[in-house]
Amino acid sequence: MRQPSDDGAPTPPRRRRGKERTQERVYVAALSLFRRQGYADTSVAQIAEHAGIGRGTFFNYFPRKDCLLSAWSQERMRKLNRRLTPRLESAADAVEALRACMSTLGDLNEEEPELSAAMLTAWIQSGLLFDGRSHLESLFALIIEEGRIRGEIRSAASSEQLGEALRDLYVGALRRWAGPATDGRHRRLHADLHAELQLSLSLLLHGLTAPPHGLCPHSEPNHLKY
């Protein structure tokens, strides 16, 4: 009896699971090396050796090394969405929702500081950091647009422009937190990323002028104009 061709045939479940396990092994090996020695100093050959596969086999799972950055970014956004969704649903207004975003981002980075710093550096070195509109930028823009519709936010800038500004403030705070300090250690060991992020958000919400009537920078009114 003629056996069906493999061309166009679905991958058998056992084989598919095997491929998924190998891909996960390659991914974990790469992150381990990125955390330890940095993205730029990690070669595909090193990743393959660490994962126990041949160098050529690596490309069956990740066509380029920077595809690992995209995989990590997608996983990070899945974690962000899982944690953030209930907080957004219970947020009283757009400002509270934006603060919840910054707080959750702070948690994710501080849980894995070495890896977060290494991956941020990798994104910058690869040129992918500002390559196209990011999920985070879109998330900020969506929150702002919903706040605008409810009358909580009034601005001459578009929601997309404000989303870009928030993304830039987040990345700037993250770079300061992850960058080298004057004493040779990493700034993240003695800086509070949460405070950096909340301050960056307050600067966007209030600007550089003194708040009227003694308003505390962390006590926004229900209706914001900036």
Side-chain angles (χ1 to χ4, degrees):
M1 180 181 295
R2 183 180 178 184
Q3 297 297 322
S5 169
D6 287 340
D7 295 338
T11 304
R14 182 179 299 178
R15 183 181 172 190
R16 183 170 62 249
R17 288 195 298 271
K19 292 184 68 174
E20 289 171 352
R21 285 194 294 268
T22 302
Q23 184 176 42
E24 178 66 16
R25 193 165 72 246
V26 173
Y27 176 74
V28 170
L31 295 192
S32 176
L33 290 169
F34 294 163
R35 181 189 292 110
R36 191 165 62 209
Q37 61 191 41
Y39 175 83
D41 293 329
T42 299
S43 67
V44 169
Q46 289 175 318
I47 297 171
E49 181 181 2
H50 202 62
I53 62 172
R55 183 182 183 280
T57 305
F58 171 91
F59 298 103
N60 293 333
Y61 300 96
F62 297 96
R64 303 180 312 278
K65 190 174 79 166
D66 62 20
C67 291
L68 288 157
L69 300 181
S70 298
W72 180 82
S73 178
Q74 291 168 9
E75 177 60 26
R76 172 60 68 91
M77 293 316 303
R78 284 192 288 269
K79 288 183 180 179
L80 175 64
N81 289 336
R82 284 197 300 269
R83 297 188 187 189
L84 191 56
T85 296
R87 299 186 67 178
L88 293 182
E89 291 175 348
S90 62
D93 53 31
V95 170
E96 186 175 329
L98 291 173
R99 292 209 177 279
C101 281
M102 291 298 189
S103 177
T104 306
L105 287 166
D107 289 341
L108 288 172
N109 284 289
E110 291 190 333
E111 285 171 6
E112 297 181 295
E114 289 80 12
L115 181 59
S116 295
M119 298 306 277
L120 174 64
T121 301
W123 275 101
I124 295 171
Q125 291 173 340
S126 66
L128 295 174
L129 184 60
F130 298 108
D131 184 14
R133 190 175 187 188
S134 69
H135 175 86
L136 187 59
E137 177 186 334
S138 299
L139 176 61
F140 285 142
L142 177 61
I143 293 172
I144 291 169
E145 182 61 25
E146 290 177 347
R148 192 194 300 272
I149 291 172
R150 293 192 298 265
E152 299 163 358
I153 292 177
R154 298 187 297 276
S155 172
S158 69
S159 299
E160 289 74 18
Q161 289 173 317
L162 294 173
E164 290 176 0
L166 280 169
R167 188 272 315 274
D168 293 347
L169 286 171
Y170 165 68
V171 172
L174 196 59
R175 290 186 67 178
R176 289 190 297 276
W177 173 75
T182 54
D183 60 3
R185 295 180 299 166
H186 282 90
R187 191 182 305 276
R188 63 178 176 274
L189 298 179
H190 52 83
D192 186 343
L193 179 59
H194 285 82
E196 286 259 9
L197 292 174
Q198 296 299 336
L199 175 59
S200 295
L201 178 58
S202 291
L203 287 174
L204 179 67
L205 296 175
H206 295 292
L208 300 177
T209 58
H213 310 300
L215 179 66
C216 173
H218 292 286
S219 301
E220 287 79 9
N222 290 332
H223 300 278
L224 296 175
K225 183 175 182 179
Y226 51 90

